[in-house]
Amino acid sequence: MLDQLKEILVSKLKVTAEQVVPEATHEELELDSLAVVELSLVLEQELGIKISDDELLEAPTIGDMVALMDERSAKV
């Protein structure tokens, strides 16, 4: 899942690949609330994983986002 999230962040949200590490925070990646809304939509469209932007914002790090993605994809 980390690789999939990294690919989305790099290709859609213009984050550099080197920045996407499990301990990186939203602030370090410069993801504002609008970018997180876009990420939420892309996750649902491309991966079929429903995670609200609020839930993504509550996940403090990329690693936490990946854990949330793993959890949601297991329910599908």
Side-chain angles (χ1 to χ4, degrees):
M1 282 290 176
L2 178 60
D3 290 337
Q4 291 173 304
L5 181 57
K6 180 185 266 191
E7 186 178 317
I8 290 168
L9 290 170
V10 171
S11 65
K12 305 270 193 249
L13 300 176
K14 309 300 180 223
V15 174
T16 62
E18 297 77 38
Q19 290 179 290
V20 185
V21 292
E23 55 279 349
T25 64
H26 304 129
E27 293 80 21
E28 290 169 345
L29 298 181
E30 298 178 18
L31 294 179
D32 59 14
S33 56
L34 187 61
V36 174
V37 168
E38 187 175 343
L39 176 58
S40 174
L41 293 171
V42 172
L43 288 175
E44 187 170 357
Q45 289 170 348
E46 294 192 7
L47 303 178
I49 301 173
K50 278 189 158 200
I51 304 175
S52 73
D53 52 314
D54 289 336
E55 291 172 305
L56 289 171
L57 284 169
E58 288 171 11
T61 66
I62 294 299
D64 295 315
M65 285 184 191
V66 170
L68 199 52
M69 290 169 63
D70 284 335
E71 182 184 305
R72 293 296 162 86
S73 65
K75 291 181 182 176
V76 174

